[in-house]
């Protein structure tokens, strides 16, 4: 509920009438309001290094996805997806994945990502990458040799995707999970780490205002304090009225 107070600044009733009219018109004529773009932050980019927007998923006990925020500048932390280091000869089958996914709210599209990241794989049948489920956007796609790609902060333009992922993903064949013997990469076969993320969303769906009510909306002369209220709605939520 929004409250407006009308003060009689002058004695003339005509001046008071104008003030009522302008106040009402300012709300009723809120269209063509639109959200435009807005940012959603996570991990090092967020106050308190919180993550309330990226969702973890694993489908195999030898895969792991977890948040270790803030990173303290350690690119092995953040939003982490990786294989779990198994005994010699351990492996997972094709389709095994650990991922963090960002889903755009209905009616919005992802138009950019400011990211601090690290992507790595040791074996070619692993993927460690940022993707949209169709193509790798940054990182280490399957089918390449040993790969390590990182950035302390990169703006990545996107094209209105509905979802983006970071993932450690077994793309084909039998993917090893046993130790690589490489302490510099924590003995892992594949990892994708996002330790700061600012997702930019484009929202071209206009918010709606309905059911205006209260003393301010009735006919006649008014003075003193007057209430008005209305219902507001938006596909992605209302931040400010």
């Amino acid at each position: 509920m929004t409250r407006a107070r009308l003060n009689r600044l002058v004695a003339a009733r005509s001046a008071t009438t104008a003030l009522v009219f302008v106040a009402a018109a300012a709300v009723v004529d809120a269209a063509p309001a639109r959200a435009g773009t807005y940012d959603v932050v996570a991990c090092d980019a967020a106050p308190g290094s919180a993550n309330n927007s990226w969702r973890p998923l694993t489908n195999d006990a030898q895969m792991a996805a977890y948040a270790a925020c803030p990173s303290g500048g350690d690119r092995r932390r953040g939003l982490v997806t990786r294989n779990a280091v198994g005994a010699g000869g351990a492996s997972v089958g094709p389709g095994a994945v650990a991922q963090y996914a960002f889903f755009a709210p209905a009616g919005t599209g992802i138009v950019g990502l400011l990211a601090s990241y690290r992507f790595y794989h040791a074996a070619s049948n692993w993927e460690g990458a940022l993707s949209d489920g169709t193509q790798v956007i940054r990182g280490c796609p399957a089918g390449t040799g040993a790969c390590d790609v990182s950035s302390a902060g990169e703006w990545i333009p996107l094209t209105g995707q509905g979802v983006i992922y970071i993932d450690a993903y077994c793309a084909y064949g039998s993917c090893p999970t046993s130790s690589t013997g490489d302490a510099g990469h924590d003995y892992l076969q594949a990892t994708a780490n996002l330790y700061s993320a600012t997702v930019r969303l484009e929202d071209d769906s206009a918010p709606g205002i309905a059911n205006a009510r209260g003393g301010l909306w009735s006919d006649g002369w008014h003075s003193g304090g007057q209430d008005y209220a209305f219902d507001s709605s938006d596909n992605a939520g209302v931040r400010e009225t």
Side-chain angles (χ1 to χ4, degrees), residues 39-54 67 69-72 78-79 102 113-116 194-199:
D39 294 340
V40 180
V41 294
C43 207
D44 287 8
S49 293
N51 169 50
N52 298 309
S53 52
W54 293 74
C69 302
S71 73
L79 305 182
F102 184 101
L113 170 66
L114 178 60
S116 300
L194 186 63
Y195 55 97
S196 182
T198 301
V199 178

Side-chain angles (χ1 to χ4, degrees), residues 54-55 57 81 96-104 110 112-113 115 117-120 126-142 149 156-171 191-194 199:
W54 293 74
R55 301 290 179 238
L57 168 70
T81 65
V97 68
Q99 67 181 200
Y100 264 96
F102 184 101
F103 295 94
I110 304 168
L113 170 66
Y117 60 76
R118 184 191 192 188
F119 304 117
Y120 167 78
W126 279 107
E127 172 183 289
L130 167 72
S131 78
D132 61 8
T134 302
Q135 63 178 348
V136 169
I137 299 167
R138 292 291 187 277
C140 299
V149 176
I156 303 169
L158 298 170
T159 56
Q161 285 91 334
V163 61
I164 53 176
Y165 309 88
I166 60 165
D167 61 29
Y169 171 63
C170 180
T191 184
N193 298 53
L194 186 63
V199 178

Side-chain angles (χ1 to χ4, degrees), residues 5 11 29 32 36 55 83 92 111 118 186 194 221 237:
R5 181 168 293 276
D29 292 342
R55 301 290 179 238
N83 70 282
V92 292
V111 294
R118 184 191 192 188
D186 297 320
L194 186 63
W221 297 106

